[in-house]
Amino acid sequence: MYKYVLFVTCLCLTTTVPGQDISELERRNGFKDIKLGSIADSVKGAKLKKEFKERDQFPAKLYTVSHPDYESVGEVKVKDLELKSYKGLIYEIRIVTHKDTRVMKALQSLYGKAEYDVINEIYFWKGRDLLLRFSSKNKQNLELVYISFPVMAMMKIDKEKKVDDIANDF
């Protein structure tokens, strides 16, 4: 009996690592000091690339970001950093880095083991207010995408208001 309890205890200790918690993802709420839901124009080095319609419905803006603070994550070079905003609020942060296994290891040390979506071939961490997707973009690059649920919900509410406005106009 003693050996069984010791075995189960050791198994539990090796499968959970202290500090791995999705609440850390929620606390950070973005990449470095770029926070989801914050004003896109306030991000250092953000330049408007284009205005577009997200899902062919929502007026959005795409920003590229070029600033020394965001050129790397540790020793891993950031090749591309883009933000999407709706009504001025950041709802998506997209980062492309050189392919380096340390990126995934670092993410797992912060947020715990990722879930895997077999269909889309992406790893992800999902919190209450945001989603972080991690995938291989091509042979040389990795892509991380942070998505804000509150801003996406605001888009949905605005869409429903437009439908209500049309219905009320009859």
Side-chain angles (χ1 to χ4, degrees), residues 18-36:
Q20 293 183 348
D21 192 346
I22 209 69
S23 66
E24 182 64 15
L25 179 65
E26 292 281 347
R27 186 187 72 74
R28 290 177 182 239
N29 192 37
F31 175 68
K32 296 191 176 200
D33 64 349
I34 303 172
K35 304 301 180 194
L36 293 169

Side-chain angles (χ1 to χ4, degrees), residues 88-123:
L89 303 177
I90 299 170
Y91 69 89
E92 184 176 298
I93 304 168
R94 189 180 72 80
I95 303 119
V96 176
T97 70
H98 284 285
K99 194 170 266 188
D100 190 318
T101 57
R102 295 176 295 178
V103 174
M104 179 60 146
K105 289 175 184 174
L107 291 169
Q108 287 182 324
S109 73
L110 283 171
Y111 310 132
K113 186 174 173 154
E115 294 183 52
Y116 186 69
D117 178 347
V118 177
I119 295 169
N120 296 308
E121 297 180 348
I122 61 167
Y123 290 93

Side-chain angles (χ1 to χ4, degrees), residues 126-144:
K126 185 177 180 181
R128 188 185 77 247
D129 292 329
L130 72 149
L131 174 75
L132 171 56
R133 295 187 326 218
F134 174 87
S135 61
S136 178
K137 184 171 173 64
N138 54 39
K139 289 182 180 180
Q140 294 87 25
N141 301 312
L142 298 172
E143 182 178 61
L144 290 94

Side-chain angles (χ1 to χ4, degrees), residues 66-79:
S66 180
H67 191 276
D69 290 355
Y70 313 122
E71 289 179 350
S72 66
V73 181
E75 296 175 358
V76 181
K77 182 161 176 43
V78 172
K79 294 180 87 175

